[in-house]
Amino acid sequence: MFEFLQSINLSPIIVGGAAISTVLVLVRIIRGQRPVYRAYRQYLGRSILLGLEFLVAADIIRTVAVTPTLDSVAVLAAIILIRTFLSFSLELEITGRWPWQTSKAPSAESDPALGSKGARA
């Protein structure tokens, strides 16, 4: 299964995170916690962010393990820039703030209106 996911360029972490996110949202639906859509987006976004971080680390290790050439380092730099931009964009979408900002926007875990621990809407 792992080789299949790698062959289609999907990280098992992203796929697993999407599955876990779906289960968490189904539990929220069964418990009657609302809104479900925003919580699902946050859970899914976090799993994608984690997967992107692992993919960047894998690319760095792959480039260092093989004899690095100027071309491979340039490709690595481009990949890291693109994935970093995606990570920042996802972080902004999930939390409503840039990673370097300190004020925290409500999340599915911290906002009672989103159905945090024990709260029902």
Side-chain angles (χ1 to χ4, degrees):
M1 181 69 169
F2 182 75
E3 286 101 20
F4 170 72
L5 292 175
Q6 278 190 331
S7 70
I8 60 173
N9 203 17
L10 280 178
S11 168
I13 294 171
I14 294 174
V15 173
I20 291 170
S21 299
T22 303
V23 169
L24 289 172
V25 166
L26 290 174
V27 168
R28 290 176 66 91
I29 291 171
I30 291 169
R31 291 182 178 171
Q33 296 173 331
R34 299 281 187 256
V36 176
Y37 177 72
R38 184 171 176 187
Y40 188 58
R41 281 182 46 176
Q42 288 178 344
Y43 295 144
L44 193 58
R46 287 185 186 121
S47 65
I48 292 171
L49 275 174
L50 181 64
L52 281 173
E53 290 174 12
F54 274 95
L55 288 172
V56 167
D59 286 337
I60 291 171
I61 291 169
R62 187 179 312 121
T63 301
V64 171
V66 178
T67 305
T69 64
L70 190 56
D71 288 339
S72 66
V73 172
V75 168
L76 175 65
I79 289 171
I80 289 175
L81 283 174
I82 291 168
R83 289 187 178 159
T84 301
F85 172 76
L86 288 172
S87 294
F88 281 163
S89 299
L90 281 169
E91 181 73 25
L92 179 63
E93 190 69 26
I94 292 168
T95 64
R97 63 180 176 87
W98 292 106
W100 54 83
Q101 291 177 321
T102 56
S103 64
K104 188 173 182 181
S107 69
E109 286 82 24
S110 64
D111 189 355
L114 294 177
S116 66
K117 297 175 179 71
R120 298 201 186 243

